[in-house]
Amino acid sequence: MKSKLLFIALLALGFSTVPAQSQTTVYAKNSDISDNLDLRAVASIFGESANLQDFERRLNDPKYQISNLDLNDDDEVDYLRVIESVEDRTHVVIIQAVLDRDVYQDIATIDVERDNSNKVVVQVVGNSYLYGDNYIYEPVYNVTPVIYTSFWITNYRPYYSTWGWNYYPNYYTAWRPYPIYRYRNNINVCINVNNHYNYVNNRRSYRAPALYETRRSYGYETRRPNYSFSQRHANTNNRYELDQRRVASRESNRNQNVYNTNRSNSGRTTGTDRNYADNRNAAVNRPNSDRNYNTNRATPTSRDNSPSVNTPARVENTQRNEVRRNSNENNSRIYSENRGNSNRTSAPVQRTEAPRSMPENRGGSENRGNTSRAQAPQRAESPRVNQESRGSQPQRENSSGSRGGNRRG
């Protein structure tokens, strides 16, 4: 009994370990931290803002959901605050994620500089730790942004956000981060397609990097020092090159799928060609069968089979006509023989010819009524009989004359 219980326990243990061994964990490597904030969307809402306070509001508005960053892993999208550093005609706008109390991480900077001809150049520069080195977008706005007028005024004071950890504006409500594919679909709606977003490798302003160093924050970098972009993606300089590799990888996968589809379709086409060849051979052999069929239709058997339904009626009509014809002939013969026998003693031979013609005429008339189509030759005989009967009348007169002459004498 103990051995049985031990065997059952071992068997149950074996079944419980099999599913655990067959399970495999797959880690998705097609996403990156930089996928959670599109700098083109940042440049787009910057050109639509009235000032930097309005710009910060648009960055964190749950209605737009421009950001999808969750660097502190609290399952909530991080609040992005905006601060500014200014020197003469150069403004450096810094976007920072609030991770904890007095802990911030730089996400990107916006360099705004006006030259001597009053031409304003804007560059959105991604943080090198998140986006790689020299990841820069230079927007060209279709309409001159209103925010430009707020930068170059007398007694301008640089903007510095007053919001921080657990101290947020009333319009802000944290939301859970979305999957990357959903965020990409959402962020494409927020990008103004009337503007142009040119990718460049160099910063135009030489003052902007120096101004940025005075306000730099790197709270997330200190927590994960070995997780920079260069360490996440070997042999890739920045996010732009990563996008190019992704596009090339998608194209190669698409071509491979097309190639596999063509190979499978070619095999199917070969089978179809074979079937077509078989059908064609069958079509070549088909005229023989059609010819045999036509030959069989032309044979007397097939002809006799078609009117076989009407054959009994015709046979019955023919039999009836023959019976009537035979009965009429018999009656005429009997009648003529009786008349001939009765007239042999009293009348000459010529007189007996008239009675013969009368039954024959009667038989001919009856046959003509019954078989009018098949008894055409009998019609031609009746005039002869009438002529003979007519020709026999003078003989009667002669015979009567001779009788009278004999009597007179």
Side-chain angles (χ1 to χ4, degrees), residues 245-401:
R245 290 192 177 187
R246 286 176 177 176
V247 172
S249 178
R250 285 196 295 267
E251 291 294 333
S252 63
N253 292 332
R254 187 181 302 171
N255 294 331
Q256 184 66 28
N257 292 332
V258 171
Y259 175 73
N260 294 332
T261 305
N262 292 333
R263 287 192 65 184
S264 60
N265 290 334
S266 64
R268 293 177 184 176
T269 306
T270 304
T272 306
D273 294 338
R274 291 179 182 176
N275 295 330
Y276 175 74
D278 295 337
N279 293 330
R280 190 172 182 183
N281 294 329
V284 172
N285 296 326
R286 191 178 298 167
N288 296 328
S289 60
D290 295 338
R291 190 179 301 168
N292 295 330
Y293 176 73
N294 294 328
T295 306
N296 292 330
R297 290 191 63 184
T299 55
T301 305
S302 60
R303 283 190 214 163
D304 295 335
N305 290 333
S306 58
S308 61
V309 179
N310 298 326
T311 302
R314 291 185 178 181
V315 171
E316 185 178 358
N317 293 330
T318 305
Q319 291 177 356
R320 288 179 182 177
N321 294 331
E322 290 180 356
V323 170
R324 291 178 182 177
R325 190 184 300 119
N326 293 330
S327 62
N328 292 329
E329 290 179 357
N330 292 330
N331 292 331
S332 62
R333 288 178 184 176
I334 293 170
Y335 180 76
S336 61
E337 288 178 357
N338 292 331
R339 292 288 300 272
N341 292 329
S342 60
N343 294 327
R344 280 178 188 175
T345 55
S346 61
V349 179
Q350 292 83 357
R351 199 170 180 180
T352 60
E353 293 179 357
R356 285 183 184 177
S357 61
M358 292 174 66
E360 290 177 359
N361 292 331
R362 289 179 182 177
S365 63
E366 292 178 357
N367 293 329
R368 189 187 312 162
N370 295 326
T371 58
S372 60
R373 295 180 182 178
Q375 301 297 331
Q378 293 180 359
R379 294 181 183 176
E381 292 177 357
S382 58
R384 294 180 182 178
V385 176
N386 293 329
Q387 290 177 1
E388 290 178 358
S389 60
R390 290 178 184 175
S392 61
Q393 292 179 358
Q395 292 179 0
R396 291 180 183 177
E397 294 177 356
N398 293 330
S399 59
S400 61

Side-chain angles (χ1 to χ4, degrees), residues 42-141:
V42 173
S44 179
I45 65 171
F46 180 78
E48 296 172 357
S49 302
N51 48 45
L52 291 181
Q53 184 178 2
D54 185 29
F55 175 62
E56 183 178 356
R57 179 188 181 97
R58 290 173 182 267
L59 279 177
N60 297 282
D61 195 339
K63 181 175 65 176
Y64 300 109
Q65 296 182 353
I66 299 298
S67 176
N68 197 51
L69 289 169
D70 182 18
L71 300 181
N72 57 1
D73 297 329
D74 62 350
D75 204 20
E76 291 183 354
V77 175
D78 301 328
Y79 183 85
L80 302 180
R81 74 168 189 169
V82 176
I83 62 175
E84 184 184 19
S85 180
V86 181
E87 184 180 343
D88 294 336
R89 296 183 177 184
T90 304
H91 293 249
V92 178
V93 180
I94 304 171
I95 302 172
Q96 295 177 342
V98 179
L99 306 181
D100 204 342
R101 187 176 300 276
D102 298 329
V103 179
Y104 310 99
Q105 172 62 44
D106 294 344
I107 305 300
T109 61
I110 303 175
D111 300 342
V112 182
E113 190 174 48
R114 187 178 66 174
D115 57 12
N116 295 328
S117 61
N118 293 328
K119 181 180 179 181
V120 179
V121 177
V122 178
Q123 287 186 326
V124 182
V125 183
N127 181 265
S128 60
Y129 180 86
L130 298 178
Y131 295 92
D133 296 333
N134 298 323
Y135 182 66
I136 304 170
Y137 271 106
E138 188 174 289
V140 179
Y141 297 107

